[in-house]
Amino acid sequence: MFGTGTGSGSGLLESGRNRYLCPSGDGGVGSIREVTVISGLPASRRTERLELLDDEKHILSFRVVGGEHRLNNYLSVTSVNEFEKDGKVSTVVLESYIVDIPA
């Protein structure tokens, strides 16, 4: 979801709960995206910076660096892991995060 987007070329991407606009960067580490939160959470928008993108290890990390939200010092790391058990392949998506708790 970091990068210039697809379709109309506007850089606007949508998922079920958020709308993303990627205003700067080439989709690599350091790229910035603006997120409009449409999920009903106590936030309206946030600015995220891509911290880590490892295609081989399937790891993505971003930090919230601005916006109208209550996520102080938020850092997220998401990994996608595949494993096989009894001949059946499964995938696990694991997201961990660090965030300061508001007073």
Side-chain angles (χ1 to χ4, degrees):
M1 298 259 186
F2 279 88
T4 58
T6 59
S8 67
S10 67
L12 181 64
L13 301 169
E14 290 193 44
S15 73
R17 289 185 250 163
N18 297 311
R19 182 171 292 137
Y20 304 94
L21 178 63
C22 304
S24 67
D26 60 1
V29 172
S31 293
I32 301 290
R33 69 179 177 184
E34 298 291 332
V35 179
T36 302
V37 180
I38 54 178
S39 65
L41 294 172
S44 59
R45 66 174 188 80
R46 66 180 182 259
T47 305
E48 300 175 352
R49 182 180 62 231
L50 183 61
E51 298 290 314
L52 173 70
L53 183 61
D54 188 323
D55 287 333
E56 289 182 23
K57 294 181 180 178
H58 307 288
I59 300 172
L60 169 100
S61 176
F62 70 88
R63 179 178 306 276
V64 174
V65 295
E68 298 169 9
H69 57 81
R70 297 183 348 193
L71 301 173
N72 296 322
N73 297 317
Y74 185 91
L75 174 68
S76 171
V77 179
T78 303
S79 63
V80 180
N81 303 285
E82 185 179 280
F83 65 95
E84 185 176 343
K85 182 176 180 181
D86 300 328
K88 185 176 180 181
V89 177
S90 299
T91 303
V92 173
V93 177
L94 177 64
E95 179 182 16
S96 57
Y97 61 90
I98 299 169
V99 64
D100 290 348
I101 299 173

